[in-house]
Amino acid sequence: MASTYTPTSESEKAVLAPEVRAPSRSFALADVILRFLLFASGLVAVVVMITSKQTELVPIPMPPFVRIPRSANFNHSPAFIYFVAALSVAGIYGLITTLISFFSLLKVARGSKLVFHFVIFDVLLLGIVAAATGSAGAVAYLGLKGNSHVQWRKICHVYGDFCKHIGSSVAVSLFGSIVLVLLILLSVYALSKRIPK
């Protein structure tokens, strides 16, 4: 025979309800800090990439063997243009989500929907930033080492400052990718704390 007992008082209902633990405010504070770091890394990577212009006198290997000025700029490579576009999106996303996280930190409790949306967009942005970092890093490596099999010459011995800017920008972007991974892990952990046990 099935029991027909139902709790009548609020205290009995509270005892029988599953426990749902909200993540502590330290998680929300860490989220705000990481999102600000994402904004900062996106901004720094874009600024360093955009300022990577260098002009050098390059010898012409044909008569009259003169040296002509040639410049290296980020917009000479589609991979670097994609890098600037992707990291600009990451910086803007980082700024917007920093503000949203900060204002939700001021509230007593953060909604699960907000954290769930952050996870989805963080994963999407991680794919975009990782692809941009990989493509820019591959072109930068070709500039540094060249490829003797297809006769692509290295250029970093001529355009040293340009290559330093590109390498620094890729390194900052890699830091931004790591920040995004930490944000995803933090958000998934915060969501897992809300699951009733």
Side-chain angles (χ1 to χ4, degrees):
M1 178 167 211
S3 174
T4 59
Y5 173 75
T6 57
T8 55
S9 69
E10 291 296 323
S11 62
E12 289 178 344
K13 287 181 182 177
V15 170
L16 296 176
E19 180 184 346
V20 177
R21 293 179 294 167
S24 67
R25 292 184 68 77
S26 61
F27 288 115
L29 184 61
D31 186 66
V32 171
I33 292 170
L34 286 173
R35 291 189 185 283
F36 178 76
L37 287 175
L38 175 64
F39 162 68
S41 66
L43 179 67
V44 168
V46 168
V47 168
V48 170
M49 180 66 82
I50 288 176
T51 59
S52 64
K53 182 175 182 178
Q54 184 178 1
T55 303
E56 291 292 330
L57 292 173
V58 178
I60 300 296
M62 302 179 338
F65 301 107
V66 295
R67 296 170 79 86
I68 60 170
R70 299 290 307 252
S71 65
N73 198 350
F74 84 95
N75 60 4
H76 295 163
S77 169
F80 294 153
I81 293 170
Y82 171 63
F83 180 85
V84 168
L87 270 291
S88 297
V89 169
I92 292 169
Y93 173 79
L95 178 63
I96 291 169
T97 57
T98 298
L99 294 174
I100 292 171
S101 287
F102 178 73
F103 288 127
S104 71
L105 179 65
L106 299 178
K107 291 183 180 179
V108 177
R110 292 177 65 168
S112 295
K113 277 188 173 181
L114 178 66
V115 177
F116 180 71
H117 285 98
F118 276 171
V119 169
I120 290 173
F121 287 120
D122 289 347
V123 169
L124 178 66
L125 192 66
L126 176 62
I128 293 170
V129 170
T133 303
S135 65
V139 172
Y141 183 79
L142 280 176
L144 180 66
K145 298 289 185 178
N147 189 335
S148 61
H149 300 291
V150 292
Q151 301 302 318
W152 290 342
R153 290 185 232 136
K154 56 186 176 180
I155 63 161
C156 285
H157 67 287
V158 177
Y159 300 103
D161 290 339
F162 173 75
C163 289
K164 288 176 187 173
H165 276 246
I166 300 299
S168 301
S169 185
V170 170
V172 171
S173 173
L174 186 60
F175 172 75
S177 297
I178 293 169
V179 167
L180 275 167
V181 169
L182 293 174
L183 276 169
I184 291 167
L185 292 174
L186 183 71
S187 297
V188 168
Y189 182 72
L191 280 176
S192 72
K193 285 293 195 180
R194 295 174 189 261
I195 297 173
K197 297 199 180 193

